Amino acid sequence: LGVWNSLLGNKWSINLENGDSHLIQDDEAEKMYNDIKSKLNINPVVLLYMPEGMVYRDYMIDEYAGIVNIFYSYNDTTVTINMYKQKNDASQNQKFDSKIVDKIIIHPQEISVNIYALEGAGKESFSAGFEYQGGCYLIWGELPENEFKKVLMW
């Protein structure tokens, strides 16, 4: 998956692809990714695909808790990416009423990721999460299933 494959290494550039397949350079996103890397020492997820109408909104870092939330707007709803560094002496739990609707493999890392349909949301809402190199990653929001999978797979 290109989205999740792009867990950043030491050198990178940010190109976001919107639903019209246009690549855009986003200096604000680059600042955000550098901020996350330096303050939390985790590799942030870079979204390489965003559906038409989905735009970056804001992010919040809680250095004390070691957590960052990145917020995107999509059709008057919020899509959230939550990332945190795994610690041996602490744990964090984000739980949704949901059921597994699909399973995908992130390449080239070969990470198995379950896609969950969030129950009781009344609309198409999904979540997915995984752990990689000491970081924990979770994305959720109200998107059509095919668009949610594209966000994960690009």
Side-chain angles (χ1 to χ4, degrees):
L1 306 196
V3 158
W4 303 102
N5 284 347
S6 295
L7 293 173
L8 303 174
N10 292 331
K11 199 168 184 167
W12 49 276
S13 65
I14 297 169
N15 290 311
L16 302 176
E17 181 178 329
N18 69 17
D20 294 330
S21 298
H22 298 292
L23 293 176
I24 56 174
Q25 189 70 29
D26 191 331
D27 293 332
E28 189 175 352
E30 186 170 349
K31 177 197 168 300
M32 173 189 63
Y33 295 128
N34 284 331
D35 200 22
I36 293 167
K37 181 79 173 163
S38 69
K39 289 181 178 174
L40 299 183
N41 195 30
I42 60 172
N43 292 320
V45 169
V46 177
L47 296 184
L48 298 179
Y49 171 82
M50 292 195 304
E52 187 173 342
M54 185 169 161
V55 295
Y56 164 76
R57 194 170 73 210
D58 198 6
Y59 74 104
M60 291 176 21
I61 295 178
D62 181 337
E63 288 184 76
Y64 179 76
I67 298 169
V68 63
N69 286 302
I70 304 172
F71 304 102
Y72 295 85
S73 293
Y74 178 72
N75 293 343
D76 299 322
T77 67
T78 299
V79 176
T80 304
I81 298 177
N82 173 266
M83 297 178 269
Y84 62 95
K85 184 99 174 160
Q86 238 177 359
K87 297 179 182 177
N88 292 337
D89 60 344
S91 66
Q92 177 186 350
N93 231 349
Q94 179 73 44
K95 198 148 176 110
F96 298 102
D97 289 332
S98 60
K99 65 178 180 178
I100 297 174
V101 293
D102 204 353
K103 186 176 201 171
I104 57 177
I105 303 294
I106 298 173
H107 297 286
Q109 294 89 351
E110 300 298 320
I111 300 169
S112 178
V113 178
N114 289 327
I115 297 176
Y116 296 88
L118 303 180
E119 297 175 352
K123 298 191 179 187
E124 284 190 293
S125 297
F126 299 91
S127 71
F130 66 91
E131 296 174 4
Y132 182 71
Q133 293 184 339
C136 297
Y137 304 85
L138 179 64
I139 181 171
W140 69 89
E142 189 177 297
L143 291 157
E145 184 175 356
N146 66 325
E147 291 291 355
F148 188 80
K149 287 179 183 177
K150 284 182 190 178
V151 169
L152 294 173
M153 294 175 65
W154 284 81

